[in-house]
Amino acid sequence: MQKFLTIISVVVLFFFVMPQQSKAQVFTEIDSISICYNAFKSVPVVVQNLTSVDSLRLNLSFDGNKVECAEYFGVHEALAAGNFLTTIYDDSVVITWSAKSAVTLPNDTLVTLRFKGLGGTSILGWNTTASFYHTSTGNLPAVFVDGKAVVNPKINLVLTELTPTCPKTC
């Protein structure tokens, strides 16, 4: 009898504590980059587990005195049917997209951003209030992975000849 009650208790407990299926998290990542002073470097915005999304908004912030976002290119072809807009500010980039039909990107580049190095180091940080949306389920859980831009310093060369090989001719 005690064995029977134990089994019944476990079964009842299982029904009350049954694990609920959670939505897969959308991962949004931008790589860390190293840029030469006054040069340009492209960095992809990579997404994983983007499932049945029909609108999104991303906000990437950076120190505008250290790097400058010059342009964007290479928008994923799956987003062509909707309204894709990237707005570049002095210290941030806002990426928005919406469409009537949902898109799924298991692991791919959403868009590529091109930065110009101005000097120093800047965090390429996602504003976590920006999130992915899906009309039937609301906000999808998201994880944002920040990057960093390291700008190598400007090189100044001064050549001085210690022992002149051609005195008074150079």
Side-chain angles (χ1 to χ4, degrees):
M1 183 67 172
Q2 187 176 15
K3 202 178 213 182
F4 177 73
L5 290 175
T6 303
I7 292 172
I8 293 296
S9 299
V10 169
V11 170
V12 169
L13 182 64
F14 176 74
F15 282 115
F16 283 113
V17 188
M18 182 181 284
Q20 296 182 5
Q21 183 179 10
S22 63
K23 301 175 192 173
Q25 292 181 326
V26 179
F27 287 87
T28 307
E29 179 177 6
I30 190 160
D31 286 336
S32 292
I33 55 174
S34 177
I35 313 172
C36 291
Y37 171 77
N38 213 24
F40 293 88
K41 184 94 176 225
S42 300
V43 59
V45 175
V46 177
V47 292
Q48 294 176 356
N49 298 330
L50 188 93
T51 306
S52 299
V53 171
D54 62 8
S55 64
L56 63 86
R57 182 176 193 277
L58 299 172
N59 187 328
L60 180 71
S61 299
F62 50 86
D63 186 340
N65 295 318
K66 312 285 183 180
V67 292
E68 169 188 316
C69 186
E71 65 177 337
Y72 72 93
F73 62 93
V75 178
H76 196 283
E77 62 270 2
L79 306 179
N83 297 320
F84 186 89
L85 178 65
T86 298
T87 307
I88 299 173
Y89 298 101
D90 290 339
D91 61 353
S92 66
V93 176
V94 177
I95 301 167
T96 57
W97 174 80
S98 63
K100 292 181 180 179
S101 59
V103 167
T104 296
L105 299 174
N107 184 7
D108 217 332
T109 297
L110 193 66
V111 65
T112 300
L113 303 174
R114 187 179 323 250
F115 288 93
K116 179 180 180 182
L118 303 177
T121 300
S122 175
I123 297 296
L124 303 175
W126 295 107
N127 180 345
T128 56
T129 59
S131 58
F132 295 89
Y133 301 98
H134 181 266
T135 57
S136 67
T137 60
N139 293 348
L140 295 176
V143 173
F144 297 94
V145 180
D146 296 342
K148 180 169 48 170
V150 177
V151 181
N152 298 319
K154 181 167 83 171
I155 298 173
N156 292 322
L157 292 176
V158 177
L159 298 175
T160 305
E161 193 172 25
L162 298 175
T163 307
T165 54
C166 305
K168 298 183 184 179
T169 59
C170 299

